[in-house]
Amino acid sequence: MKYYIIAGEASGDLHGANLIKALKTEDPQANIRCWGGELMKEAGGTLVKHYKELAFMGFVEVLFNLKTILKNLSFCKADIAAFEPDVLICIDYPGFNMRIAQWAKTNGIPTHYYIAPQIWAWKESRIKAIKRDIDHLYVILPFEKDFFEQKHHYPVHFVGHPLIDAIKQQQPCSLFEFQAQNGLSNLPIIALLPGSRKQELSKMLSVLLRVVTEFPGYQFVIAGAPSQEYEVYKPFINGDQVKFISNKTYELLQHATAALVTSGTATLETALFKVPEVVCYKGSWISYQIAKRIITLKYISLVNLIMDQEVVTELIQDSCNVAQIKIELQRILDPENRTKLLQEYKQLETKLGGAGASKKTAQLIIRSLQPLR
């Protein structure tokens, strides 16, 4: 069977790679063409375009890059038509993928969506397009099944969260080995996860690193995203107390004492590694003003959304300042608060539904295509 998979971000590359592995296990003759990154390529997909060319964040940033986005859409449609896949598999990245799915549906290509568009956060009106254009939707958050099925009467498959599989695959690394390989001292580590897009990580690091001198007994380690070059991080690195490692976020989280994390998938990854965290986010003024008027969620972090309570502190926009970050970081370094937080992390993992998301999704996709064999 021929599979065309589209992922537009680093997290999508990770989940896409595990899905490709699962598809190849279930269908050894699978021919997979994809948009994604190095992980999907290493898993056996033929990489058409790297997500580094696709990642635009925020309302203003998308507007400024509209010409490039439209060009990518046209190229993608032509490439799919030339490949003639048996199925299109979209992974998250809804602004792009929903447009491709609409085109594919009108051209008779079965459409599957893995990691549903987060319409429960904003753009709930997209449910009309989902019902019209998506044949099968695979959701990874426990509350999403009720949202789609009970509120919108649209059947979905809850497959569990793929991060559980990704983290279980992580090879253990001793603290001594990790320190030696990355030039770190023996001081306890505070991990900094500032995001993967250039415009957000520069803004976040400018804020987060201003608390470094308040914690002389710790070393701060920046987790470099695979989508960014070293030069983006270079201005923020201080050899004495601020270190940098690239593309080793999971190894870093294995050994971190605490973390300051920008909202997104990283908040959930940090929790699953049982690292106490403070969620910090500060966007452009215009993007924030627009977002707060159309997003009605109580929380921005996946941890709090899944638990439906404030398990981790969220410092957003004006509250994301040096004074507040210092207070909250001191709080999660306190042993009593850490113990309570780690207990809540265990409840979070239970809610996520266990391992096997990639395998379940691959089996469901292939089963739906059986009449085509």
Side-chain angles (χ1 to χ4, degrees), residues 121-258:
W122 74 302
K123 286 193 175 181
E124 191 168 347
S125 60
R126 272 181 173 160
I127 188 63
K128 296 177 182 177
I130 289 173
K131 288 182 173 181
R132 182 190 67 216
D133 300 327
I134 307 301
D135 296 317
H136 298 273
L137 185 65
Y138 307 93
V139 302
I140 62 173
L141 299 172
F143 61 81
E144 289 181 315
K145 186 172 177 64
D146 286 345
F147 173 83
F148 283 104
E149 293 190 342
Q150 294 186 18
K151 184 173 183 179
H152 292 291
H153 312 290
Y154 178 73
V156 299
H157 306 281
F158 174 58
V159 295
H161 206 293
L163 276 181
I164 294 176
D165 292 333
I167 289 171
K168 285 186 175 180
Q169 293 171 11
Q170 179 64 36
Q171 294 297 316
C173 172
S174 72
L175 177 59
F176 176 79
E177 183 181 3
F178 181 70
Q179 291 169 334
Q181 288 178 349
N182 297 284
L184 304 182
S185 71
N186 292 323
L187 292 175
I189 295 169
I190 295 176
L192 302 178
L193 280 64
S196 60
R197 301 177 182 89
K198 184 176 180 179
Q199 60 264 33
E200 68 175 347
L201 69 86
S202 296
K203 182 182 289 288
M204 291 309 306
L205 285 174
S206 297
V207 177
L208 299 179
L209 289 174
R210 290 169 63 191
V211 304
V212 169
T213 56
E214 303 289 340
F215 296 87
Y218 296 86
Q219 58 184 324
F220 288 71
V221 182
I222 302 169
S227 59
Q228 297 298 335
E229 303 296 332
Y230 172 75
E231 294 302 317
V232 176
Y233 300 93
K234 189 175 179 180
F236 303 100
I237 300 169
N238 177 324
D240 294 330
Q241 202 178 351
V242 180
K243 307 288 186 178
F244 170 81
I245 59 172
S246 182
N247 202 19
K248 294 183 180 179
T249 301
Y250 282 9
E251 291 95 324
L252 174 59
L253 289 174
Q254 281 185 40
H255 302 297
T257 299

Side-chain angles (χ1 to χ4, degrees), residues 2-4 31-33 78-87:
K2 297 167 72 174
Y3 307 82
Y4 201 101
N31 180 4
I32 300 173
R33 192 167 176 83
D79 195 61
I80 294 172
F83 184 58
E84 297 182 337
D86 294 298
V87 61

Side-chain angles (χ1 to χ4, degrees), residues 58-60 122 284-295:
F59 303 98
V60 177
W122 74 302
S284 70
W285 184 87
I286 294 176
S287 291
Y288 175 70
Q289 293 301 318
I290 296 171
K292 76 176 185 178
R293 286 164 172 78
I294 63 176
I295 298 175

